[in-house]
Amino acid sequence: MAETLVKAPITADTMQGAHPFLETEKLADTPFLLPSPVVASRHPFPFDTPSSPSKLKHVSSINLGGTRIQLTSAVIIPFWIVLSSGVIIYNNYIFNNLNFRYPVFLVSWHLVFATIGTRILARTTRLLDATRDFKVSNDMYIRSILPIAVLFCGSLVLSNKAYLYLSVSFIQMLKAFTPVTILLISFSLRTQTPSRRLLLIVVSISLGVSMASYGELRFNAIGFGIQSLAIIFEASRLVMIEILLQGLKMDPLVSLHCYAPPCAVLTIILLLFSEGVTPFNIALTQVGFFHLMANAMLAFTLNVAAVWLVGVGGGLVLTLAGVFKDILLITGSVLIFGSLITSLQVVGYSIALIGLIVYKSITVKSK
């Protein structure tokens, strides 16, 4: 599932990016940490940010053969980085190496898998105990959950579709602009007050991303437009979470449990109009049962790992982990897929990353 928060990935880098879930405490905490189940974006399922780590401690250990193993940041952070990077690289492999050019189908499949998987976990484990206290009225569902689900679908579908036109490395560079988009939308809706420091961060990140875009050797206007729309959808989703679900806290799995069913229905409807029945006819022969199951399982496991992740790391540590993941993805894109990057892109992306780290440092200190 594309691009996607621990306090921080449900992107478009958290199914994908995508970005390390459902941030409802402070919008500033959501921008770029962990990815989305489908898209593995920069945000951890930018399903958004979970509640405070202390409330998630009951899932920071696992029981194997009667032996309880405590998960530490030294274990779970590398595990999350591998899973998050793996989802994005795997999706790109299916789209471009296996030539299965049906991103809406893949997103729909991930969401159906996540819908079934979260229901199984709710019945067989304690990972979704929080859903027992999460009651949604019909009115709340229509006014709050459904609009956010629509934005989430747009983010996932567009984030995945961008891989048909752009390289993994360039997409990761563009996703650095997500926090800027969130701030601009927040400023326009007056949910956040502009300051000189925030405006300086906006300028620095914008400059860095602009330099990275100008230096792209395989620039594609269609792909750039699609990824830009994906960022707008994702940023709007995070802002709407702050406005519509104020005070409601969900960890990545609870968020996935809540949003996966309506998102699956919406993407399947979109699938029938946009890609038709062709992907159903060729998926098993062109992609194969193993790749379909492994890809969906990898994306789903990413969200389970995200629950543990938010219980063992602080905000700045998770931010640095997200930055390292993106650097690793860009390097992997060059080595695995032969993506070309220029020195201007390296300089531009470095400027954007500095802006991201400064921004997150400010939000952590302000708590």
Side-chain angles (χ1 to χ4, degrees):
M1 297 177 167
E3 140 256 254
T4 309
L5 313 214
V6 151
K7 245 182 184 168
I10 214 179
T11 189
D13 225 243
T14 163
M15 298 218 164
Q16 160 182 295
H19 1 281
F21 312 53
L22 175 57
E23 173 57 59
T24 55
E25 289 186 289
K26 231 180 191 180
L27 183 61
D29 294 334
T30 59
F32 46 89
L33 264 194
L34 312 173
S36 102
V38 172
V39 117
S41 64
R42 172 183 295 275
H43 314 273
F45 190 73
F47 271 132
D48 322 82
T49 317
S51 50
S52 63
S54 62
K55 294 183 180 183
L56 296 173
K57 284 181 179 178
H58 67 282
V59 296
S60 61
S61 62
I62 55 178
N63 194 306
L64 294 177
T67 302
R68 183 167 293 280
I69 301 176
Q70 189 70 28
L71 298 177
T72 64
S73 57
V75 174
I76 194 60
I77 290 178
F79 185 55
W80 174 81
I81 289 175
V82 170
L83 286 175
S84 181
S85 303
V87 172
I88 295 177
I89 292 174
Y90 208 161
N91 285 357
N92 188 69
Y93 173 79
I94 291 175
F95 293 142
N96 296 302
N97 292 65
L98 298 182
N99 200 34
F100 187 75
R101 318 280 283 183
Y102 300 98
V104 182
F105 175 88
L106 192 64
V107 170
S108 301
W109 164 234
H110 282 193
L111 288 167
V112 169
F113 190 96
T115 298
I116 298 172
T118 51
R119 269 65 191 170
I120 293 175
L121 286 181
R123 292 178 175 273
T124 59
T125 73
R126 297 190 59 190
L127 290 174
L128 283 159
D129 281 359
T131 57
R132 298 172 185 173
D133 302 321
F134 181 64
K135 306 298 181 183
V136 180
S137 65
N138 291 334
D139 183 59
M140 178 184 177
Y141 192 89
I142 295 173
R143 289 189 300 105
S144 302
I145 302 299
L146 198 55
I148 293 172
V150 171
L151 292 171
F152 183 56
C153 285
S155 172
L156 290 179
V157 170
L158 291 168
S159 294
N160 278 276
K161 195 171 183 63
Y163 287 97
L164 304 183
Y165 302 94
L166 303 175
S167 66
V168 171
S169 57
F170 186 41
I171 288 175
Q172 294 308 119
M173 293 178 188
L174 291 178
K175 286 177 182 176
F177 196 71
T178 303
V180 172
T181 310
I182 291 174
L183 284 174
L184 293 177
I185 294 174
S186 299
F187 293 160
S188 65
L189 296 178
R190 298 186 179 182
T191 58
Q192 190 152 327
T193 304
S195 67
R196 184 176 300 177
R197 182 179 294 180
L198 286 178
L199 291 176
L200 183 61
I201 291 173
V202 167
V203 171
S204 64
I205 295 176
S206 300
L207 175 63
V209 173
S210 298
M211 291 174 64
S213 300
Y214 185 78
E216 173 64 17
L217 296 176
R218 297 176 180 175
F219 184 85
N220 182 290
I222 296 177
F224 180 83
I226 291 173
Q227 182 56 43
S228 298
L229 284 175
I231 291 173
I232 293 173
F233 268 84
E234 178 63 11
S236 300
R237 184 184 72 84
L238 294 174
V239 173
M240 287 302 101
I241 285 172
E242 175 72 8
I243 295 174
L244 298 177
L245 299 180
Q246 261 188 337
L248 183 62
K249 301 174 183 179
M250 303 182 197
D251 66 38
L253 271 182
V254 173
S255 183
L256 186 59
H257 182 275
C258 176
Y259 286 106
C263 285
V265 172
L266 291 171
T267 54
I268 290 173
I269 293 173
L270 177 62
L271 167 63
L272 296 177
F273 285 97
S274 62
E275 297 174 355
V277 297
T278 302
F280 292 94
N281 297 330
I282 67 173
L284 289 178
T285 56
Q286 192 163 326
V287 180
F289 179 79
F290 172 79
H291 282 307
L292 288 173
M293 292 300 297
N295 182 245
M297 179 60 74
L298 186 66
F300 185 72
T301 304
L302 174 62
N303 288 280
V304 178
V307 177
W308 287 319
L309 180 64
V310 296
V312 299
L316 188 57
V317 172
L318 299 179
T319 298
L320 295 176
V323 169
F324 180 76
K325 183 263 298 182
D326 287 337
I327 295 174
L328 186 65
L329 267 174
I330 292 172
T331 304
S333 176
V334 173
L335 297 177
I336 298 174
F337 300 112
S339 300
L340 300 176
I341 59 175
T342 64
S343 56
L344 181 60
Q345 285 184 295
V346 173
V347 174
Y349 189 57
S350 298
I351 293 174
L353 286 183
I354 292 173
L356 289 173
I357 294 173
V358 171
Y359 173 66
K360 186 60 184 182
S361 300
I362 292 173
T363 61
V364 170
K365 290 178 182 179
S366 66
K367 291 181 183 180

